[in-house]
Amino acid sequence: MAGMEHSEDAGVYKLRDDLAIIQTVDFFTPIVDDPYTFGQIAVTNALSDVYAMGGKPLTAMNIVCFPIKKLDVSILRDILRGGLDKMREAGVLLVGGHSVEDDETKYGLAVTGIIHPEKVLMNRGARSGDKLILTKALGTGIVSTAAKAGVAGTEIIAKSIAAMTTLNKGAAEIIVETTDIHACTDITGFGLLGHACEMIEDSEVGIHIFASAVPFFAGLQELAEMGILPAGLHRNRQFRMSCIEASPACPEWLVDILCDPQTAGGLLLSVAPEQTAGLLDRFHRSGLTDAAVIGEVTVEKKGKILVSL
Ligand code: CO
Ligand code: CO
């Protein structure tokens, strides 16, 4: 049902009329100092693509690279413990894995989930008039870069870690109970604008983003204005430049934030306008207090993203 053609979040394969499996794999190098926290973030991130399809992850396998001759094995144990605790929270069963010796630590999961074939949420399908909802605040890429440079405060680091360890499970459970959600994806390495582009590429619609409505961590503006930006942010902006039309009123630092590569970012949903208020209210009550309507789908600029204040 979903393969490699349209930058879908995960592969979906129909087994029966009432059952399809979802498969995805994701692993990366540490982006925080604490091994246990890194394990939690890696698992939150790896499970996210299953939730982005509207599915439920069932089983997972660890993928581990570790410099066993250079680093103490207790570090590896802490990473895996963080991962396992997050899998428990998600109700996911660890059924195996594979580890190799490598110069650099890497951790992640191969995940299998399930979904009803008629309930699959692709990243395509947004309709004119839909509202766009983002479930988490942006900024994890900029904060990670600032933390490495020693210029991020403890408060913004804590906020970023809290976001990166929040499963998209709660949001996905609300989504499957809501009708008229036409498209969904999760915000990861390509940033908000990059993943928004994937939603409308080669389609009959475009997107209008209200930049001042997009949630981001308090204190992020200062870091962005200082130019503390990850390399991936510049690549994202460059790569999607032809697709994005930012109004001159929109400051550079804000466009930068919209291109910030996210780790374990929130879900981006395209939903019928009459469902928007109810859905947003349910997100807020479930603890996703940063969730916001950040734009709308239009026919005016098909295949383009218009960014205004
Ligand atoms: Co994804
Ligand atoms: Co992925």
Side-chain angles (χ1 to χ4, degrees), residues 187-202:
I187 306 304
T188 51
F190 295 125
L192 173 67
L193 294 186
H195 291 283
C197 278
E198 287 176 345
M199 270 189 165
I200 49 142
E201 229 176 4
D202 306 319

Side-chain angles (χ1 to χ4, degrees), residues 130-132 192-193 207-216 250 254 258 292-298 305-309:
D130 279 1
K131 300 289 180 195
L132 295 173
L192 173 67
L193 294 186
I207 280 174
H208 184 178
I209 300 269
F210 319 129
S212 47
V214 176
F216 54 83
C250 206
L254 190 48
L258 303 185
V293 175
I294 60 148
E296 62 193 11
V297 181
T298 70
I305 311 250
L306 198 66
V307 183
S308 70
L309 273 182

Side-chain angles (χ1 to χ4, degrees), residues 211 237 244-255 306-309:
R237 220 178 139 161
I244 297 161
E245 279 178 34
S247 100
C250 206
E252 283 295 302
W253 63 264
L254 190 48
V255 181
L306 198 66
V307 183
S308 70
L309 273 182

